[in-house]
Amino acid sequence: MAKKPGIPKGTRDFTPQEVNKRNYIMETIKQQFQLYGFQPIETPSFENSETLMGKYGDEGDRLIFKILNSGDYLRKASEEHLRSKDSNALVSQISEKALRYDLTVPFARYVVMHQNEIDLPFKRYQIQPVWRADRPQKGRFREFYQCDADVVGSDSLWQEVEFVQLYDAVFNDLQLNGVTIKINNRKVLAGLAEIIGAADKLIDFTVALDKLDKIGEEGVKNEMLQNGISEAAIEKIQPLFSFEGSNQERLERLAVMLKDSETGLQGVEELKFIVEKVEKLGTKAARIAIDVTLARGLNYYTGAIFEVAAPKGVAMGSIGGGGRYDDLTGIFGLKGVSGVGISFGLDRIYLVLEELGLFPESVVEQTKVLILNFGESEAFYGMQLLQDLRSAGVKAELYPDAAKMKKQMNYANKRDVPFVVLAGTQEMNDGTYTLKNMRNGEQETLSLEGILEKM
RNA sequence: GUGGUUGUAGCUCAGCUGGUUAGAGCGCUGGAUUGUGGUUCCAGAGGUCGCCGGUUCGAACCCGGUCUUCCACCCCA
């Protein structure tokens, strides 16, 4: 025997049951995407490195899987970089392609390349795997699916309202109640940084603030102090550390805090519009909550920022995220096209549904009828029933070999097939079939029509 | 990328301070049962103890490296 095979770290095989469950989630999402008017596109698994590099920050660049050039790639590498073992400098010489890191940047590239055939606003959805050279953890993989819906070419805040409703619709379909759609706004964060005189430290400021629920008030303050934000400045945003109350109350308090920041107030207005409309129109499975500490994806989000938290009690990172980016296509030369979108984390939603036991039983149902095989003529007799069952849309199969009945029964049992059909000489003479219910052991002899009726 | 953790049969795991032929349960295969599974009973197969090297008379056990698992950080779906 050869050495036992394995798969790369952070990747997975999926069993038939797992694929069925994943398909269930994907179909649910896809249905709602289409219901909301999004159209599907697909992009290549790998892009030119220059399309991806530099779009996700330094951290992102590190996590991008690079693809080695074909052929004698070292020949083109510079002697100097080879000798100094400078990996960073070398990589651009020996790798020109990289695996897709997310679906948003490829979408921006798509919009720019296809701008003449696209009617704005353009609503697209995309469900494809992405790859990150990350260290795996619970709910973190190196290959995973993203399910994205984005709109480009509209500044309207109604888009944001609709995206919250879309989230709600999907989670409602999945019967995943109690999720929280957290919302924030880049302009609010910029305003906060502005009033404390740390506008130039926006990223450091928000990254620290983002950790509030993890490292606590003192931890955040310490990190801010270390980043050169003064104690007096931190005092000005003290209310953020005990930011309780309804969305309405939070908005009012933010407006007071940000009264001297034009940008900040604009952010508050945007938040107010979205939250008010969403709350008035109503949600089913999810609730919307303003969270000023939310600061993901700051590298390109300019307006709304979304993040979806699993129901309380489920230990899982965010199961979705999104936001508005006023000028994403700008990096590819198309200015002034605003985009806003959301993403569903399929793999994490799977883990949450599994943990809460929310997959419907019908999702994993496979073959409904197994016809036992007692020999060639009996199998042929069974085949006639099989054809009719399949025409009627019943998932059915014939056991391929005339094996011992125990073995055939066991096969049906283990695969959880609810019915088996026995048809031997007796039934052939009578023109009947014996149908056995594997759940309760009952069986009855029926005509071909009788069987079809039962299914 | 940093720190920690894990690896023994298909699966879940025992295996004493290093000491002969490494065990259990479940699963698997066959039989009891030649048209009746899920229960029971009997028998059997299956392991270079993650991999490489070192210490030792002797290593699943100790040491080093490597890969893998999971966790925290970074970051993120």
Side-chain angles (χ1 to χ4, degrees):
Chain A
M1 252 292 269
K3 198 178 134 195
K4 275 186 190 171
I7 56 175
K9 172 163 55 175
T11 65
R12 298 150 298 161
D13 283 330
F14 297 112
T15 63
Q17 289 80 2
E18 289 169 330
V19 172
N20 283 326
K21 290 176 178 175
R22 291 167 62 84
N23 284 345
Y24 160 71
I25 300 172
M26 262 192 259
E27 284 306 317
T28 303
I29 293 172
K30 199 184 287 183
Q31 245 173 32
Q32 288 296 342
F33 280 175
Q34 288 175 347
L35 214 47
Y36 275 71
F38 293 87
Q39 291 186 290
I41 69 161
E42 293 192 5
T43 62
S45 302
F46 54 96
E47 296 269 352
N48 294 327
S49 296
E50 61 197 56
T51 302
L52 305 182
M53 297 298 284
K55 308 301 191 294
Y56 311 100
D58 292 342
E59 193 64 25
D61 282 358
R62 205 193 77 209
L63 298 177
I64 292 174
F65 273 108
K66 286 96 186 166
I67 298 173
L68 221 43
N69 290 344
S70 310
D72 193 1
Y73 51 85
L74 278 185
R75 190 170 296 280
K76 294 181 193 162
S78 82
E79 289 291 337
E80 191 191 331
H81 290 149
L82 280 172
R83 210 175 309 110
S84 61
K85 301 200 169 146
D86 186 342
S87 302
N88 285 334
L90 198 55
V91 74
S92 61
Q93 297 185 323
I94 63 175
S95 164
E96 291 162 352
K97 297 173 290 296
L99 287 179
R100 182 169 58 215
Y101 177 88
D102 74 353
L103 300 179
T104 307
V105 168
F107 174 52
R109 193 224 76 220
Y110 177 97
V111 170
V112 174
M113 282 183 67
H114 297 263
Q115 51 186 291
N116 293 326
E117 42 194 283
I118 284 174
D119 299 310
L120 296 180
F122 179 55
K123 301 171 72 171
R124 84 87 170 78
Y125 75 86
Q126 191 171 356
I127 300 177
Q128 289 190 280
V130 302
W131 295 269
R132 295 184 186 177
D134 210 355
R135 280 226 189 157
Q137 263 178 58
K138 179 170 185 176
R140 293 182 91 160
F141 308 98
R142 304 223 280 187
E143 176 184 62
F144 62 95
Y145 270 75
Q146 284 190 335
C147 312
D148 278 24
D150 291 86
V151 183
V152 287
S154 167
D155 295 326
S156 167
L157 289 173
W158 289 112
Q159 304 290 3
E160 276 87 335
V161 173
E162 277 203 69
F163 276 121
V164 174
Q165 293 185 311
L166 175 54
Y167 265 139
D168 184 55
V170 168
F171 292 125
N172 187 55
D173 278 359
L174 293 173
Q175 297 173 60
L176 182 59
N177 290 303
V179 305
T180 304
I181 300 169
K182 296 192 263 183
I183 182 170
N184 196 9
N185 194 297
R186 163 76 173 249
K187 290 166 190 155
V188 167
L189 291 169
L192 289 169
E194 189 185 324
I195 61 165
I196 64 169
D200 56 325
K201 299 192 181 78
L202 175 64
I203 299 290
D204 288 340
F205 167 73
T206 52
V207 165
L209 191 58
D210 190 48
K211 294 178 187 166
L212 181 58
D213 56 345
K214 221 174 211 173
I215 61 178
E217 183 176 334
E218 285 312 307
V220 172
K221 285 180 174 172
N222 282 335
E223 188 162 326
M224 286 184 177
L225 285 171
Q226 277 175 14
N227 287 324
I229 297 169
S230 73
E231 213 147 332
I234 293 172
E235 188 55 36
K236 287 187 187 167
I237 52 157
Q238 181 61 34
L240 292 182
F241 295 113
S242 49
F243 212 65
E244 304 296 322
S246 68
N247 286 328
Q248 185 59 40
E249 289 163 345
R250 291 176 192 214
L251 284 169
E252 285 165 11
R253 239 170 303 164
L254 273 180
V256 173
M257 284 174 69
L258 292 167
K259 62 182 190 303
D260 296 326
S261 165
E262 195 184 328
T263 307
L265 286 177
Q266 196 190 337
V268 173
E269 279 308 306
E270 290 185 8
L271 272 180
K272 187 177 176 193
F273 180 92
I274 298 162
V275 170
E276 272 185 8
K277 299 299 181 288
V278 166
E279 288 185 336
K280 274 183 189 157
L281 289 162
T283 53
K284 293 173 190 153
R287 68 183 183 89
I288 187 167
I290 292 175
D291 182 350
V292 283
T293 69
L294 179 60
R296 301 307 167 87
L298 270 184
N299 281 311
Y300 43 77
Y301 291 144
T302 51
I305 302 171
F306 297 112
E307 183 170 297
V308 183
K312 282 200 177 68
V314 184
M316 180 61 63
S318 66
I319 56 177
R324 178 173 288 273
Y325 31 88
D326 277 340
D327 195 32
L328 188 70
T329 58
I331 54 181
F332 297 120
L334 181 61
K335 302 282 180 195
V337 179
S338 178
V340 54
I342 59 172
S343 180
F344 289 83
L346 170 70
D347 299 86
R348 288 186 176 179
I349 292 170
Y350 181 102
L351 291 172
V352 171
L353 293 188
E354 192 71 274
E355 193 169 330
L356 298 176
L358 290 177
F359 283 109
E361 221 166 281
S362 57
V363 165
V364 287
E365 188 186 276
Q366 280 301 286
T367 296
K368 196 168 183 192
V369 185
L370 177 75
I371 299 177
L372 299 197
N373 185 333
F374 297 123
E376 189 176 331
S377 56
E378 290 91 339
F380 183 76
Y381 181 69
M383 272 289 187
Q384 296 167 43
L385 171 64
L386 192 56
Q387 284 185 320
D388 287 343
L389 281 171
R390 287 175 176 163
S391 309
V394 179
K395 292 174 196 153
E397 58 185 307
L398 171 78
Y399 195 88
D401 306 298
K404 287 187 180 160
M405 173 145 5
K406 180 188 171 94
K407 193 176 167 118
Q408 301 192 39
M409 282 289 200
N410 247 325
Y411 182 75
N413 206 44
K414 276 184 300 193
R415 292 196 14 191
D416 220 17
V417 176
F419 295 96
V420 298
V421 164
L422 297 86
T425 37
Q426 213 173 302
E427 286 85 353
M428 286 170 71
N429 286 337
D430 302 344
T432 58
Y433 296 90
T434 296
L435 180 72
K436 181 182 173 85
N437 182 323
M438 296 297 281
R439 299 266 156 80
N440 56 25
E442 283 170 16
Q443 62 185 62
E444 54 187 324
T445 302
L446 299 162
S447 64
L448 192 147
E449 291 75 23
I451 300 264
L452 289 172
E453 232 166 83
K454 280 267 174 187
M455 290 298 113

